[in-house]
Amino acid sequence: MTILELAKVDANPWGDFHLRGVDFCLSAGAVTGIIGPNGAGKTSLLQLLAGDVEPSRGDCRLLGTPMSQWDMTERARMMAVLPQLSLLNFPYSVEEVILLGRTPHGTGAAMDRRILQEVMQATDTTRLRQRFYTQLSGGEKQRVQLARVFAQIWQNEGTPRVLLLDEPTTALDLAHQQLIMASLSLLAANDCAVVMVAHDFNLVAGVADQVVAVAEGQVVAQGTPAEVLTAQLFATVFGAQVTIGAHPVSGAPLVIQL
Amino acid sequence: MTDVTSDRRARQVMPVLLLALPVALLLGLANGAAPLSTLEALQGLWQFVNGDVSSQAAVIVGQIRLPRILLAAVVGAILACSGAAMQGLFRNPLADPSLIGVTAGASLGASIMIVLGGSALVGYVGLTLVSFGAFIGGLLAVLLVYRLATSVQGTSVATMLLAGIAITALAGSVGSLLEFYADNDMLRRISLWRMGGLDGADYPRLLIGSVVGIALLLALPRFAVALNAMLLGESEARHLGINVARVKRVLIVTVAISVGTAVALAGTIAFVGLIVPHIVRMLTGPDHRRLLPASALAGALLLVVADTFSRLVLAPTELPVGIVTALIGVPFFISLLRRRHQYGML
């Protein structure tokens, strides 16, 4: 089922064209990886999907309704966004930060508590719950922010949900990267559409059903990881020489730097 | 590494404040140039409430001290609660209502009235006109700051801070220019007004202050959840379903009107709007559902205590209350700052 759809979208949030002719859709239960060089427009694309940037041409539709016509609370109940940088500098406890993810719901304290427990397990933040957010390390903060966006769309199985993540694993150690990837797969298995901007191609190849490559504001390739992650794409889009192997266990494409 | 629960006293804060405020109000009623015992003060209050103003205590308590301490409480609550909201809105614990230009604008408005009115501006009418000038000046300054920071992309709080500093500086220099042409009597009145004081308190002023204060205290908690989310950042708050543009607009207008009124009624009382919310946040945490009401109570408490001190220290002469708020509050604040890691601040 198509949840979010971009049709021939141009967007120019700062005057000049930033995104041109973007055309793709997100389906329930699929993980989409967005890759591209620095400044290619990955974050702008994510903002477009999140409704932060209005298309100057074309259509961005959530469940068939244009993004701008959605009631903000209604939309927030089904779409959560993890930004690249988070600048929270007020001394919330970890638990308070995660519970902010329940802001749009109003489903009552008991439900919020239960979801809090579950998302803390999914992000390994349970033992941090009483700590001050301001005193956490970078990786711990990233896990807490992930727990917050998970909490926002954790429930409502069966209803369409979208999770947009901008470089969710940059500060995470290997074990926590695996934990988060497992949680993303679990969410996707429960019909959530997951979008992830990432620079770790092998991480993307391992988890994504669809990969979108962005360069200079345009989508230059999209398809399965095997279709998109080719040596030729890396040469033309990233200007980098790589060899594409196969993952010894999963068989997914494996990007090896020369 | 510090645990939150061991250091926050969220549950104790509200009961302690709710107990302390009536005690402070009572002490404020009893103490002053003519000292009364607590019992005499209560008797006087009882007689005044029942319309009997035959005794001296009833007159002192009912006509002089009661409107004054209640005005102090209202102004303190307005300033502290507005400060808490501004710090949340600007995501900056250093923000205070004066940052958006309201205090400087009000000061300039008052100075203009004092200088233009000259010696004609005496007594009750003079005081009212100066207050009116302050209110209009404060509102105009905020309006200007708001317009400067608003573009098609919305209102930038960072630009608002800078515009607020610019307008404050501009109002300050125009004020200085006025002082340059003012005579000695005007200079003294301008400088006394700036130090802040509650000596003009009476029931009409208390009524105005109370109406605005109660409206503010009813309105602000409705934004507590939005402010909680906005601490994460504006786009994060939008993604949580908060209509950020509307929250900003309504909060700024509400705070401008309330603080403009407070400044018009009691002059510029520095420090309450900045440091009271800060102190309260250290004790309750940043959740605005607790922070806003607790700040209002703590601001009221601080200003009532400070006003009582200001009447006692040099009795029968009164110190401007703005001096006393800083003298009482700063040592407490500094002691908290020294233990800031315990409160989760960096």
Side-chain angles (χ1 to χ4, degrees), chain B residues 72-160:
Chain B
V74 166
V75 167
I78 289 179
L79 291 176
C81 202
S82 304
M86 285 291 102
Q87 291 175 4
L89 186 66
F90 286 98
R91 288 190 299 288
N92 188 338
L94 294 179
D96 94 332
S98 64
L99 266 182
I100 52 173
V102 58
T103 314
S107 267
L108 181 58
S111 300
I112 290 176
M113 280 302 193
I114 291 172
V115 171
L116 290 187
S119 54
L121 229 55
V122 287
Y124 191 76
V125 177
L127 195 62
T128 308
L129 278 176
V130 171
S131 299
F132 184 69
F135 180 73
I136 297 296
L139 276 196
L140 285 180
V142 176
L143 209 65
L144 191 57
V145 167
Y146 188 69
R147 287 300 299 271
L148 283 173
T150 305
S151 63
V152 278
Q153 277 149 15
T155 307
S156 151
V157 288
T159 313
M160 261 196 97

